Amino acid sequence: MSLQLPPLSLYIHVPWCIRKCPYCDFNSHQANNDIPEADYVAALRFDLQQDQTLAQGRKLTSIFFGGGTPSMLSAQAIGQILTDAEKIIGFEPGIEITLEANPGTFEQERFSGFRAAGVNRLSIGIQSFNDQQLKLLGRVHGRAEALRAVGVARKAGFDNINLDLMHGLPEQSVDAARADLQQAIELAPEHLSWYQLTIEQNTAFYSAPPVLPEEEILADIQDAGVELLAAAGYAQYEISAYARDKKCARHNLNYWEFGDYLGIGAGAHGKITFPADNKILRLWKTRLPKHYLDATDSQKISPNLGGHQNVFGGGSDLLLPDALPLEFMMNALRLHSGVPMNYFVQRTGVDWQQLEPHWQKLTQQGLVEIVQGYARPTVMGRRFLNRVLQTFINETE
């Protein structure tokens, strides 16, 4: 089967933060002094120039500034990055441009500057409205700053806001988790990312784990939260994503629907389809900011370099045909509505018939279904998603 080019997004990684949170396993580095903003903006431009050929004529449908803490960059820097991206790759009409922000890093002037620079969606890392929990989580903001941040964002003109909120926090009760979520709902964001705290390797929490709620309490928190969100008009469309007024995160949807994305910045990852060669690549850049900047300096930045060069260390992996069913399903089955069946063929190059025996088995178990051409998990399948995915893992072994 022949591959087709899917939509293209851009992920931009800003690797610095004010303080490394004890639960965070992302590529982030505490900024002890002023960050090298101008040098980093120039490096991002150079990085995108090297990746220009990977776009294969496509324009960007979405951009996401992640980190770290992207809001540590000035509005002028964000504006320059967006200007470069539009010039080098180009924007589709109505492009979604998201910037992650922490409440403790903002003032009204900065919010307004980001909006004027072209950012049209703000993702604010609240995590909790409980001051004691925020302290345990190592956050640099408090409840009052979190509440103020949303109001300042509205005043700056943002009409598409996501709030990141955790549950299953250390010794958290069902009532406490519900109160946190109720406070978020009262702020009326268009989108809520409500997800359970998990302990990851290479984090401070992994070395000294806090006491987390028992499984029974976690299940009760999940059930209570889903009910509360539904009553407030937030539709759950992914494992931890809820939206009202149909304002789903388009950038994340492109990931889950197995679209393509460029990744620029220290430690950024990308996925690119090459229909002419019938292959799909994952690519990544070197993680350490110093190494990333050194790679740029060594190349004597030039806007006229042709072809694609991996000058930022990192590397790439070819996604082999046997691994593609799992890669696709790990993303697609996170979505409650699933994805069109033809996406599987178009975006993996694998014939659906190869999946049929496994899909039929899962269907008989009541874990997956096909509704109006969409392949999706059932309610039970969403609850036992790891079991569903294990079927495709076994297929690749």
Side-chain angles (χ1 to χ4, degrees):
M1 304 296 291
S2 60
L3 286 167
Q4 295 184 19
L5 276 178
L8 181 68
S9 297
L10 172 64
Y11 175 75
I12 302 168
H13 193 73
V14 180
W16 295 284
C17 55
I18 295 174
R19 180 195 301 164
K20 182 79 170 181
C21 296
Y23 57 84
C24 178
D25 69 336
F26 296 137
N27 182 35
S28 59
H29 307 268
Q30 185 166 320
N32 297 318
N33 300 303
D34 291 340
I35 62 177
E37 180 176 276
D39 290 342
Y40 198 69
V41 171
L44 291 173
R45 180 188 309 118
F46 179 58
D47 196 350
L48 194 56
Q49 287 168 346
Q50 307 316 298
D51 284 359
Q52 182 179 23
T53 57
L54 301 178
Q56 300 169 76
R58 291 169 292 179
K59 295 183 179 180
L60 299 171
T61 61
S62 66
I63 296 175
F64 194 99
F65 289 88
T69 306
S71 52
M72 290 184 70
L73 296 182
S74 68
Q76 291 76 15
I78 297 296
Q80 183 60 59
I81 295 166
L82 292 176
T83 297
D84 293 339
E86 185 169 23
K87 180 179 179 180
I88 296 168
I89 307 294
F91 293 173
E92 290 285 359
I95 184 173
E96 176 192 89
I97 302 175
T98 303
L99 184 138
E100 285 186 335
N102 287 334
T105 64
F106 279 114
E107 297 178 355
Q108 184 173 351
E109 179 182 353
R110 186 164 284 196
F111 271 77
S112 300
F114 290 140
R115 186 68 189 91
V119 176
N120 54 28
R121 184 175 182 270
L122 204 61
S123 182
I124 305 177
I126 301 292
Q127 312 312 352
S128 176
F129 291 97
N130 182 296
D131 280 326
Q132 183 178 358
Q133 289 287 6
L134 288 170
K135 186 176 181 180
L136 287 171
L137 292 172
R139 305 297 288 172
V140 297
H141 69 276
R143 172 185 173 85
E145 288 175 295
L147 294 173
R148 179 178 177 272
V150 177
V152 172
R154 291 296 189 202
K155 191 175 294 185
F158 284 99
D159 59 4
N160 194 0
I161 295 174
N162 169 66
L163 300 184
D164 274 350
L165 198 69
M166 288 184 180
H167 61 87
L169 302 180
E171 301 183 18
Q172 188 179 46
S173 67
V174 176
D175 287 343
R178 185 188 291 112
D180 246 2
L181 188 54
Q182 181 60 48
Q183 178 62 83
I185 289 170
E186 290 175 4
L187 293 172
E190 285 68 30
H191 193 281
L192 273 163
S193 297
W194 188 62
Y195 55 95
Q196 183 179 322
L197 170 64
T198 56
I199 306 301
E200 306 289 351
Q201 292 187 19
N202 302 316
T203 66
F205 273 177
Y206 187 79
S207 302
V211 178
L212 299 182
E214 296 179 355
E215 288 297 325
E216 185 177 346
I217 294 175
L218 291 173
D220 289 343
I221 288 174
Q222 180 70 30
D223 291 343
V226 169
E227 182 179 351
L228 188 62
L229 285 159
Y234 287 89
Q236 185 179 13
Y237 67 97
E238 188 265 348
I239 291 173
S240 58
Y242 303 78
R244 63 183 179 91
D245 303 327
K246 298 182 178 180
K247 288 200 173 178
C248 300
R250 284 191 276 143
H251 186 86
N252 290 343
L253 276 174
N254 191 46
Y255 291 155
W256 297 324
E257 293 176 347
F258 215 55
D260 278 359
Y261 50 96
L262 300 170
I264 62 172
H269 285 238
K271 168 193 166 285
I272 299 295
T273 302
F274 297 92
D277 300 319
N278 199 35
K279 68 180 183 181
I280 301 173
L281 280 181
R282 291 201 184 279
L283 311 96
W284 59 92
K285 312 296 168 61
T286 188
R287 289 174 55 87
L288 293 178
K290 181 181 185 302
H291 294 168
Y292 182 81
L293 292 169
D294 287 348
T296 308
D297 290 340
S298 69
Q299 294 296 315
K300 307 296 184 186
I301 297 175
S302 167
N304 299 315
L305 289 173
H308 178 257
Q309 304 176 50
N310 185 10
V311 300
F312 289 98
S316 64
D317 272 340
L318 177 66
L319 290 179
L320 299 174
D322 287 348
L324 285 169
L326 174 62
E327 290 282 344
F328 183 90
M329 292 300 176
M330 282 180 64
N331 290 281
L333 293 181
R334 294 177 65 94
L335 295 170
H336 281 209
S337 61
V339 297
M341 290 176 63
N342 61 352
Y343 277 20
F344 178 77
V345 178
Q346 294 170 0
R347 299 184 181 185
T348 67
V350 177
D351 193 321
W352 178 268
Q353 295 303 316
Q354 294 186 32
L355 283 187
E356 196 62 33
H358 310 286
W359 191 266
Q360 286 300 325
K361 178 182 176 181
L362 292 170
T363 300
Q364 292 167 5
Q365 294 173 350
L367 298 173
V368 298
E369 60 188 357
I370 294 175
V371 178
Q372 297 181 341
Y374 276 69
R376 70 186 191 186
T378 62
V379 173
M380 186 167 68
R382 293 197 296 268
R383 180 167 294 187
F384 298 101
L385 186 58
N386 287 339
R387 176 177 162 188
V388 174
L389 294 176
Q390 188 66 42
T391 300
F392 301 103
I393 293 173
N394 293 338
E395 167 65 8
T396 63
E397 293 177 345

